[in-house]
Amino acid sequence: MTTITPLSRAVAAACLSMAAVNSFAQQAEAGAEPTMIEVVVTATRGAKAVDKIPGAISVISQQELASQYLIADDPSQALATFIPGYAPSRQKMSSTGESLRGRQPLILLDGIPQSNPLRAGMREGYFADSFIIERIEVINGASAVQGMGATGGIINYITKSPRANGTTHGVNIRASTQFRSDNLDWKTGYSISHKSDAFDFLGYAALQKRGMGYDGKGRRLGIDTVQGDTLDTHGDDLFVKIGKNFGDQRLQLSLNRFNLEGDGDYMKNPDATGADLPTSSIPGTPQGEAPRNKVRSASLDYRHANLADGSLTVQLFSHEFESLYGATKVATFQDTRIAPANTLWDQSQILADKLGSRLTYVRPDTFVTGLEATVGVDVLRDQTEQRLAITGRIWVPLLKFNSTAPFAQLEYEFGPVTLRGGVRYEMAELEVDTYTTLAAYGSRTVQGGSAEFSKAVKNIGAVWRFAPGWSAFAASSEGFGLPDAGLVLRGVNNPDQSVSSLISLQPIVTRNNEIGVNWRGANGQFGISRYDSRSKLGSVIRINSAGVGLVERVPTTVKGWEVSAEWRPSKQLSLSGSYAQTDGKTAATQGAPMDLALGARSQGPDKAVLAGNWKWSPAVRLRLQATHLFDRDINVGRTVGTSNLEENFAGYTLADAAITFDTGHGRVGVSIENLFDKQYVGYYSQSAAAADPGNTYAGRGRTLAVNWSRMFRSAR
């Protein structure tokens, strides 16, 4: 096992933190034993209390999500607010640079993978309407329990379910504005749920329209007409979940149909770009079709809660994903056989279809009391390709990925100690037919073939609950993934290449070592952890002087600290805060020193978040929050080939406020995003895109949002 460095420093910090918080804990315990706040997560393949899981686990509750979505209806902004190691939101349809602890997470919706690691177009952030989400479970750090792609962790969105007998239906309306004629956003949704003992049903339908936005200086925001934007878009979502219990058994079907598409009414202002001037937009019709996301997910779940003294869960799922990017006439798309040089417009389209199954069996007290066994097998078929939609050319050939992964995990609990260890054996094959690259790469014929991988990925850890409410953990876990295979294959420019011989397709195995201390009590909680994540054959995307992304297979290491705390001095008031320090390193080439900092495509800046919640009265709740991003200047004067690696970021602080009122006519919410109308350019735009003035995007200025919802309930 790789030693966590500096281990002694982490232990010392944890001990100091325990001493600092211990007086607060004693105050909470004075007079009566505090009621423990038990938080249960399911992303570990079985319902488990977080104080029995060796690792850093975060759960964003429905109440927290409701307040954040009132401020900004942006999934990644919610993650950046509540998850310390999550990078800042791009405020775009594209999620490039939105990493978790310097690596890519695996995104799930009720266990259905939404990520597309074979050709990561970075559009996976928008796949469902925010209203249907009950909570978000986050496993920080590399993990293999849910399959390929979780080198940075797992983000599992859990959808709502009816809880009480009866029928409930309601309407939700949200509108936001900056008081300009073209920037009104609105969304309306209708939900209906029913439960009658063993049967339950949930349905939701929504429509939304987003206008333009303005920065803190009143300038219209720049719209990304190529990678995709949430400005000037419309969308809809239809979600259905039907369940039936049969004694100890349950059968459940869920369907989700989500669309988000640009209106094509605005384009970048070509006369408003410069080194110190953010990108802006003007009315106009861009070339080609507007960017869009289309997502279709389906899941059939079977559960048996008492099968041979254990519980069985079987899930069959399908996922269809289509992302269309805006038209451009970049050099990569030019082909003089089709049109004269520098005149050919085209637009990229990624299609990914997944079929899979997950089987999990959990049996407590296996052989001996306290020994829990979890076994199962996952099967996945993923077919992904990338086309050029206007000319019909193939940019990335059809990638056929097939994986079978049996796994087993043992957990032994004796007194205050829980030991956990397991192994997952990945057996995967990637098949690619013979194809021809685009003319820009020399129209090279690449011989098809297959690449097979088999790897045992392991996890081991322990939790010690050493005092009431207190626990300490140490864990080592591995995650398994592939580099962006499509990005590798589409850029082949040497003759006589074959898929089987491309070393770039070797898998990424990331090991995350971590220690931490947590406290949970009736009046608050506290956690601190130190992690060290390493990959001997990592994957780094570097942008060359022509603006083309290239995959470099070099080692990567990410180390970091994360601290989070919440204090509830009374039933009406709670204060919370978090801090994350992330330090990613890589090398120029294999064997070179690890002296290059990871750029904004891979990791976020150091970040601190403070928030307060005040229950003014039984019907009124107020939330204030502030996020500070720290300065980050890296790789000054450093280049690799034609890639300039220097990045400079001037940090900033943003504050938001939200208040909700329960009335006799429904719940009303009012929020102000960017409370002080701060003028700023986003982290990614300042850093990774600084060399391209046309992609320097400012963030939203002060924005007012109003939400009204009313639920109608009829008794059974």
Side-chain angles (χ1 to χ4, degrees), residues 101-330:
R101 288 186 171 184
R103 302 190 186 276
Q104 287 303 307
L106 174 63
I107 299 175
L108 307 171
L109 177 66
D110 287 336
I112 305 172
Q114 307 294 309
S115 302
N116 299 299
L118 296 180
R119 176 70 277 268
M122 309 312 294
R123 284 282 199 83
E124 295 88 350
Y126 286 90
F127 54 85
D129 190 275
S130 58
F131 182 87
I132 69 173
I133 305 303
E134 181 177 84
R135 68 184 188 277
I136 303 176
E137 301 174 351
V138 180
I139 298 177
N140 296 277
S143 174
V145 298
Q146 295 283 4
M148 182 183 73
T151 55
I154 295 169
I155 301 175
N156 191 20
Y157 291 77
I158 307 297
T159 58
K160 296 177 180 178
S161 295
R163 302 298 182 189
N165 280 349
T167 300
T168 301
H169 62 101
V171 177
N172 183 78
I173 299 174
R174 182 185 189 275
S176 66
T177 182
Q178 294 175 296
F179 301 99
R180 306 296 203 282
S181 61
D182 61 350
N183 83 315
L184 177 66
D185 294 1
W186 62 264
K187 181 173 73 172
T188 181
Y190 172 78
S191 65
I192 180 169
S193 65
H194 173 78
K195 180 175 174 61
S196 57
D197 296 330
F199 175 79
D200 54 82
F201 168 83
L202 174 66
Y204 177 72
L207 296 173
Q208 67 171 343
K209 176 73 171 67
R210 301 179 193 239
M212 295 299 291
Y214 289 78
D215 64 18
K217 291 186 177 181
R219 298 177 71 251
R220 188 183 286 127
L221 297 177
I223 186 169
D224 192 335
T225 57
V226 176
Q227 295 301 316
D229 212 306
T230 55
L231 299 172
D232 188 36
T233 59
H234 65 276
D236 59 81
D237 192 19
L238 179 63
F239 177 77
V240 176
K241 180 189 285 187
I242 304 172
K244 174 73 173 178
N245 296 326
F246 306 88
D248 292 328
Q249 302 176 69
R250 176 175 174 82
L251 191 64
Q252 177 178 288
L253 173 68
S254 62
L255 304 169
N256 185 53
R257 177 187 180 275
F258 177 82
N259 298 302
L260 180 62
E261 183 173 355
D263 289 333
D265 297 327
Y266 288 84
M267 56 193 301
K268 289 182 182 179
N269 185 352
D271 300 323
T273 59
D276 300 317
L277 194 63
T279 308
S280 187
S281 304
I282 57 175
T285 304
Q287 291 279 344
E289 296 183 51
R292 63 173 179 260
N293 263 17
K294 288 186 177 181
V295 183
R296 307 289 186 265
S297 296
S299 173
L300 181 63
D301 297 78
Y302 169 76
R303 300 173 188 172
H304 196 308
N306 187 19
L307 180 64
D309 297 324
S311 61
L312 173 70
T313 302
V314 180
Q315 181 185 50
L316 305 177
F317 65 84
S318 69
H319 180 257
E320 298 178 4
F321 175 85
E322 176 198 335
S323 61
L324 180 69
Y325 298 79
T328 179
K329 55 176 181 179
V330 293

Side-chain angles (χ1 to χ4, degrees), residues 24 74 85 129 192 372 389 421 518 550 698:
F24 161 51
D74 181 344
D129 190 275
I192 180 169
E372 180 180 270
N518 294 295
L550 304 174

Side-chain angles (χ1 to χ4, degrees), residues 582-586 595-605 630-639 644-649 683 686-688:
T582 310
D583 181 20
K585 296 292 186 181
T586 187
D595 60 353
L596 292 175
L598 288 178
R601 294 185 71 94
S602 299
Q603 76 160 76
F630 292 84
D631 296 351
R632 189 168 190 253
D633 301 298
I634 62 170
N635 301 329
V636 177
R638 299 293 300 274
T639 60
N644 178 15
L645 304 184
E646 180 174 341
E647 294 183 4
N648 298 281
F649 170 66
Y683 165 68
Q686 282 195 51
S687 303

